[in-house]
Amino acid sequence: MAALDLSPGLFVVDGTLGAGGHSASIVEKLGPSGTLLGIDRDPMMLDHATQELQDAQCRTVFARGTYAELESLLSDNKLSKPDRVLLDLGLSSDQLADESRGFSFQAEGPLDLRFDTSSGRPAWQVIDESSESELTEILQLFGEEPAADEIASALVQRRPVATATELTQLVTAVKSKTSRENLHDATLTFQALRIAVNEELRHVERMLNDVLPAVLGPGGRAVVISFHSLEDRIVKNAFRKTDIWQNQTAKPVTATPAESRLNPRARSAKLRVAVRR
Ligand SMILES: C[S@@+](CC[C@H](N)C(=O)[O-])C[C@H]1O[C@@H](n2cnc3c(N)ncnc32)[C@H](O)[C@@H]1O
């Protein structure tokens, strides 16, 4: 929260509203004259957050969509340039717990993995319609999965793969010899497919390289928390552009051991901050 440098009256965009945890702390600092625009691709998360933030004193506006379309979401809602933009990338624990979306290894529902089920293709369909080499590339690029070749080959032989449970069983069988401690065998495969079906890196790239520089005025501040090395690289390279940004974090801020113990998700989190020139 300190990274956002909040004060009463500011206009803050939470581009990844999730369950509204960060926004609940943000609105406390904005006072009645402040404004929060909360954005999420997932309507279920928007519902959660709207409830969580119903007693906010400041003006709150909620929008379904991608942060990468921030410019049109601002104009649709007649909002001007924000003072602060927060992105907390990736998946929320509520999405992970939703059995009908396939995010968790044991889910019996369809292997969907989309944040917004009204657009794009679900993961089971991507598995069904991709060639073995396309699947290998997804697993290597977005999952950095060492057994990408073997898993892609097994997917092509055994598809259709309808549920998360089926995918978990398939990956566990392939990887039984190469397991890494502290990481479920299927973690990197699920991550890779989720990033692919949601085109997550394309949204991050567009936001960091085009949208944020355009929407933030001088002194406007961007705070980005990422969980994947490819995302972090996009953020790091964007904030290095010294004609656009005053980079506030030469090295990313990472969680302390105590924070990681309390919240295991924080273990791989990297936070970067930059101020628009
Ligand atoms: C890690 S959670 C955010 C948690 C939130 N900070 C909180 O405190 O509850 C990430 C959220 O971002 C959403 N999301 C992912 N990609 C998005 C995008 N391109 N645009 C808007 N929301 C996105 C997901 O649906 C998810 O709800």
Side-chain angles (χ1 to χ4, degrees), residues 3 63 136 141:
T136 306
L141 191 62

Side-chain angles (χ1 to χ4, degrees), residues 14-24 39-43 45-46 63 65-69 86-95 101 115-116 198-200 203-204 225 227 265:
D14 183 347
T16 51
L17 189 59
H22 281 132
S23 277
I39 301 167
D40 206 291
R41 282 171 95 178
D42 184 344
M45 298 314 300
L46 275 179
T66 168
Y67 52 69
E69 278 155 20
L86 170 67
L87 298 177
D88 175 17
L89 301 169
L91 181 70
S92 88
S93 49
D94 297 88
Q95 288 165 325
R101 316 269 287 277
F115 293 133
D116 173 6
N198 292 297
E199 297 185 283
E200 290 177 41
H203 289 250
V204 178
I225 306 167
F227 295 85
R265 182 176 175 264

Side-chain angles (χ1 to χ4, degrees), residues 4 26 29 31 35-36 48 56 59 64 83 95 99 109 113 138 162 178 181 187 217 219 227 238 249:
L4 280 168
I26 291 171
K29 298 258 162 57
T35 302
L36 173 88
H48 281 304
R59 181 180 175 208
R64 177 177 175 183
D83 302 298
Q95 288 165 325
E99 284 279 319
L113 301 184
I138 287 173
T178 59
E181 266 180 49
T187 301
F227 295 85
T249 41

